[in-house]
Amino acid sequence: MRDGMRAPAPGAASRGTAARAVAAVLGAGCTLDEAFANLPGEPLPEADRAQARALAFGALRWHHRHRALIARLSDRPLPRNERLLEALLSVGLFQLHDARQPDYASVSATVEAARWLGRPRAAGFVNATLRRMQREGEALRAAVLADETARWSQPAWLIERLRQDWPAQYAAVLEASLCPPPLWLRVNTQRTTVADYLAALEAAGMQGTTLAGVPTAVKLATPVPVAAIPGFAAGAVSVQDAASQWPAVLLAPAPGMRVLDACAAPGGKCAHLLEQAGGTLDLTALDIDAARLARVGENLTRLGLTAHLRVADAGQPGSWWDGVPFDRILLDAPCSATGVIRRHPDIKWLRRASDIASLAARQLELLDRLWPLLRPGGRLLYVTCSLLRAENDAVLERFRAGHPEAALVPATVPDWLLPVPGGGWQALPGTSDTDGLYYVLMARQGG
Ligand SMILES: C[S@@+](CC[C@H](N)C(=O)[O-])C[C@H]1O[C@@H](n2cnc3c(N)ncnc32)[C@H](O)[C@@H]1O
C-alpha cells in the first residue's frame, strides 16, 4: 500500500469483486465462472474469494427482483451503461436478505466497495439507496411482487413457458429455483457402501439422507466445501446431483459392454456408469470441448477408472467412429439448462427465448446422427437438464416420426419422477430437492 492510501475496509474487496462478476454477466454476457476466471487485478485471499462467489451467485439469483427495487429506490433511473453500479446495489440488496449479518455492516461494506471499485463519487448514492431499502423495504418489496418477473426473479418468457409446460407444478419449480442448491453426493460402491458412508458422515459430525430409487445418492444436511467432504479425495464419493445419478440406473450397462457417452464432460455420468459396472465397460467418452474433456480425465483418475477419451463432435461420427456398433449410448445433450438454474443463476440472464428452437434442432440432429451407431437390440438414453418440453418430448416425437424402429423402453421409476405424456420422465426442482432433468430410454428394434 502506498503512503497516504487508506487500507480497504473489511469486506470491500469481496463486495467489489462480486459486483464486477455480476456486471460481466449482465453486460458482457459471460457466465459467472468465466467472469470470475477473468477478473482483473491481484487474486483475493481464499476466504474473500469464497465470499465474493457466494455474494455474486446470491445477487444474480435475485437480480430480476433487485432491478425492480432499484428502479423504485433511486430518484433517477440508472443509465443503461451503469452495469457496475447496478451490480453493486444488487450485491448490497442481497446482503440485506441475510439475517446472519447486521444491516449496518452490509451497507457500510457495500459503500466501501464503491470506493474500492474506484467509484468514490457513487459511494453516497449507494449509501442513500441501501438505507432507503432498510427504511422502506417492506412496502417496496410488496409493491414489486405484483410483477411476476420480480416475484419469481425469472425472465418473463421462461415463466410463461414453464406455466404452459407444467401448469400444475410451475409455481413450485420457480420457488425451488430461488433456493441455494443442496449438496448431493454419489457414493462409489466400488469403495464403500451407502450405510458405511452415512456412518462415516455421522462420525465426522455431519448428516446425510438418501433418495428412493437412486441407490448411490446421499444429500448432505449442510453443504460444505469439497475439501471438507469425508472420503472425497480418496474417491469414496463424488459430487453429483441425485437426478444426474438416475441415468446410470436407467441405462444399466452390463460389465464388458461397449458404451458411448456422447457428451461426456465434466464426466459425472461417465464415472457413475463405470463405477456401477465395476470399471469393466469398454466406454468411449466424447466431448467437443477439449478443456472440458480434460476434466473427465481428472475425475476418472481420482476414481481409478479408465475410458477412451476423444475430443470430437458427436454429430460427425465419420471423423471418430471405428464402425463397431455400441450396446448402449448415453446422449446427455447440450440444452437450455433451465433445470439447473438454482446452481447456475446466470442462465436466467444468458439464455434467450429464441435459443430454444435452435437447441432443439441440434438435439434432434445429434439423436439422428448417433442412432445408427447402436446395435440392433441396443439402447440409447436421451437426457437433458431442461424443463422445456420443446427440448424433451417434442424432440423425441420428431425423432421417432423418422425412426419407427425406435421403441420406448418402459421402466419402474421412483415417485419423484413424473411420466411425460409424450414419453420419458421428468425430474422437477421442487419435488425431491433434485435438479430438473428429462430422460427417455429407447431400444433399437430389428435385426
Ligand atoms: C450437459 S453437458 C454433459 C454433462 C456430462 N454428461 C456429465 O454428466 O458430466 C453437455 C456437454 O456436451 C458437450 N457438447 C456440446 N455439443 C457437442 C457435440 N456436438 N459433440 C460432443 N459434445 C458436445 C458440451 O461441451 C458439454 O460438455
Side-chain angles (χ1 to χ4, degrees):
M1 195 191 351
R2 293 200 312 265
D3 286 348
M5 279 185 80
R6 275 200 308 155
S14 54
R15 271 78 178 174
T17 301
R20 273 192 181 136
V22 169
V25 174
L26 300 178
C30 58
T31 66
L32 260 182
D33 285 340
E34 288 163 352
F36 274 105
N38 296 319
L39 285 171
E42 291 285 304
L44 297 182
E46 177 51 38
D48 285 355
R49 214 168 43 228
Q51 187 178 38
R53 281 187 73 85
L55 290 171
F57 275 76
L60 217 44
R61 188 168 283 129
W62 293 97
H63 192 70
H64 287 86
R65 184 181 297 183
H66 290 167
R67 192 172 258 186
L69 286 168
I70 290 165
R72 284 171 187 259
L73 282 163
S74 30
D75 299 330
R76 282 171 290 136
L78 286 180
R80 279 188 67 80
N81 58 359
E82 262 300 2
R83 294 279 189 241
L84 188 59
L85 203 47
E86 177 185 330
L88 182 61
L89 287 173
S90 191
V91 169
L93 290 174
F94 173 62
Q95 293 166 85
L96 294 180
H97 289 297
D98 186 348
R100 287 168 305 177
Q101 174 166 267
D103 285 358
Y104 70 84
S106 302
V107 173
S108 81
T110 311
V111 170
E112 286 303 323
R115 298 196 175 92
W116 185 88
L117 287 164
R119 302 291 306 276
R121 296 222 312 243
F125 171 70
V126 171
N127 187 44
T129 307
L130 295 180
R131 293 225 181 274
R132 182 164 175 207
M133 186 66 192
Q134 277 181 285
R135 289 194 307 273
E136 301 172 33
E138 215 167 299
L140 287 169
R141 227 175 262 125
V144 300
L145 290 189
D147 172 61
E148 278 195 325
T149 301
R151 175 170 172 214
W152 300 114
S153 224
Q154 295 261 2
W157 71 268
L158 187 51
I159 297 174
E160 195 41 46
R161 289 197 78 141
L162 290 173
R163 194 189 339 256
Q164 279 168 20
D165 286 0
W166 301 104
Q169 297 87 0
Y170 82 98
V173 167
L174 290 166
E175 196 74 62
S177 298
L178 282 168
C179 299
L183 180 60
W184 284 99
L185 302 173
R186 182 186 76 242
V187 175
N188 181 357
T189 47
Q190 295 298 297
R191 304 260 169 107
T192 183
T193 64
V194 168
D196 284 351
Y197 189 69
L198 288 171
L201 281 180
E202 213 165 310
M206 300 161 110
Q207 297 220 311
T209 48
T210 56
L211 180 66
V214 190
T216 47
V218 168
K219 184 172 73 169
L220 288 190
T222 309
V224 295
V226 167
I229 298 172
F232 180 85
V237 288
S238 299
V239 174
Q240 188 178 37
D241 188 82
S244 290
Q245 297 181 43
W246 177 247
V249 178
L250 201 51
L251 196 59
M257 276 188 169
R258 188 172 153 81
V259 178
L260 172 66
D261 184 352
C263 294
K269 298 181 191 72
C270 165
H272 190 196
L273 286 165
L274 286 162
E275 280 171 5
Q276 189 180 255
T280 61
L281 299 176
D282 176 7
L283 191 149
T284 300
L286 294 187
D287 206 277
I288 202 164
D289 183 326
R292 284 175 61 85
L293 190 70
R295 291 180 57 201
V296 180
E298 289 158 18
N299 282 326
L300 296 185
T301 303
R302 181 179 61 85
L303 296 166
L305 299 166
T306 52
H308 314 290
L309 305 187
R310 296 275 316 244
V311 178
D313 181 347
Q316 303 289 335
S319 67
W320 53 267
W321 185 44
D322 62 7
V324 182
F326 292 99
D327 301 300
R328 298 283 183 271
I329 296 178
L330 170 61
L331 171 56
D332 187 11
C335 69
S336 62
T338 38
V340 292
I341 277 179
R342 61 186 183 161
R343 281 184 203 288
H344 302 286
D346 42 1
I347 290 166
K348 298 193 269 194
W349 294 93
L350 304 177
R351 217 32 101 208
R352 302 267 175 272
S354 55
D355 297 339
I356 305 304
S358 53
L359 283 165
R362 186 75 183 125
Q363 291 150 357
L364 181 61
E365 186 186 352
L366 286 170
L367 272 172
D368 277 334
R369 297 274 170 87
L370 292 171
W371 184 252
L373 279 54
L374 196 61
R375 74 162 167 77
R379 291 178 173 190
L380 182 148
L381 178 61
Y382 174 67
V383 179
T384 73
C385 56
S386 171
L387 302 176
L388 304 181
R389 297 185 62 178
E391 297 178 85
N392 296 337
D393 55 306
V395 170
L396 173 72
E397 189 185 331
R398 285 157 68 197
F399 173 73
R400 290 189 71 219
H403 295 276
E405 77 287 9
L408 296 183
V409 179
T412 308
V413 301
D415 63 4
W416 51 273
L417 284 173
L418 285 179
V420 178
W425 304 275
Q426 181 81 46
L428 290 174
T431 304
S432 279
D433 212 11
T434 69
D435 287 345
L437 271 75
Y438 171 79
Y439 327 78
V440 65
L441 184 61
M442 288 178 278
R444 181 170 174 181
Q445 294 178 319

